[in-house]
Amino acid sequence: MERLLEYAARHPLLFGGTLAVALAVAAYEFSKARSGGGQAVGPIDAVRLMNQGALLLDLRSKAEYESGHIIEARHVPADDVAQVAETLKRFKDKVVITCCESGMRSGAAARTIKTQGFDKVVNLRGGLQAWRAENLPLVKEGGGKQKSGGAQ
């Protein structure tokens, strides 16, 4: 302890910078833990979870959903997330994956769903943009599959 105090006295800028970085890391970790653990999965992990029976909620607008969505995704507008607990009660024991276009709206929705008693809620990291980047298929409302990476 004596050496630490001596170091701090001789190098106040280095010590202050180290302390500031340590506080920033601690604040970030606390914020991440408070926001629901930061549970997010990439597209490949989402496919794996869906193959194991996970429920996928698409939180985009109806027009966005109809223009192309992930196979077997349930459309739940982001504004209606607070009311989904009653209709999705039977899925409380399953993993619930939330997704939107970029992953921002669905992250907030995942936290909301978690507060309603769903324990296994994750967000699709990067949303449908990441899904398209991996060239994974989307389904149009008419039923046809579309290749998500190229021209349609």
Side-chain angles (χ1 to χ4, degrees):
M1 183 68 166
E2 216 174 281
R3 295 185 93 186
L4 180 64
L5 293 175
E6 181 182 339
Y7 175 80
R10 289 187 183 205
H11 307 286
L13 291 177
L14 287 175
F15 183 75
T18 303
L19 190 61
V21 168
L23 289 174
V25 168
Y28 172 76
E29 291 296 327
F30 177 74
S31 168
K32 191 173 175 183
R34 201 171 138 231
S35 69
Q39 290 290 329
V41 295
I44 303 302
D45 290 328
V47 169
R48 189 174 307 119
L49 289 171
M50 289 167 49
N51 287 339
Q52 295 171 356
L55 172 68
L56 179 68
L57 301 179
D58 191 323
L59 302 158
R60 300 175 301 153
S61 70
K62 186 166 180 67
E64 289 175 311
Y65 179 80
E66 289 174 351
S67 70
H69 60 273
I70 299 171
I71 298 169
E72 296 183 16
R74 289 176 179 244
H75 180 241
V76 177
D79 298 335
D80 298 342
V81 168
Q83 292 83 24
V84 299
E86 190 61 37
T87 58
L88 301 175
K89 188 187 309 184
R90 63 183 178 186
F91 297 106
K92 279 194 175 190
D93 59 332
K94 289 189 175 192
V95 175
V96 177
I97 305 169
T98 59
C99 74
C100 66
E101 189 61 34
S102 66
M104 299 301 288
R105 288 179 286 177
S106 57
R111 289 188 293 277
T112 301
I113 293 170
K114 206 166 197 172
T115 63
Q116 296 176 355
F118 289 79
D119 295 328
K120 304 172 191 170
V121 182
V122 296
N123 182 30
L124 178 60
R125 186 182 314 115
L128 270 281
Q129 293 173 354
W131 187 270
R132 287 185 199 99
E134 294 284 339
N135 286 325
L136 294 168
L138 296 174
V139 176
K140 284 195 172 189
E141 198 55 29
K145 287 184 183 179
Q146 70 182 28
K147 187 78 171 174
S148 56
Q152 299 162 10

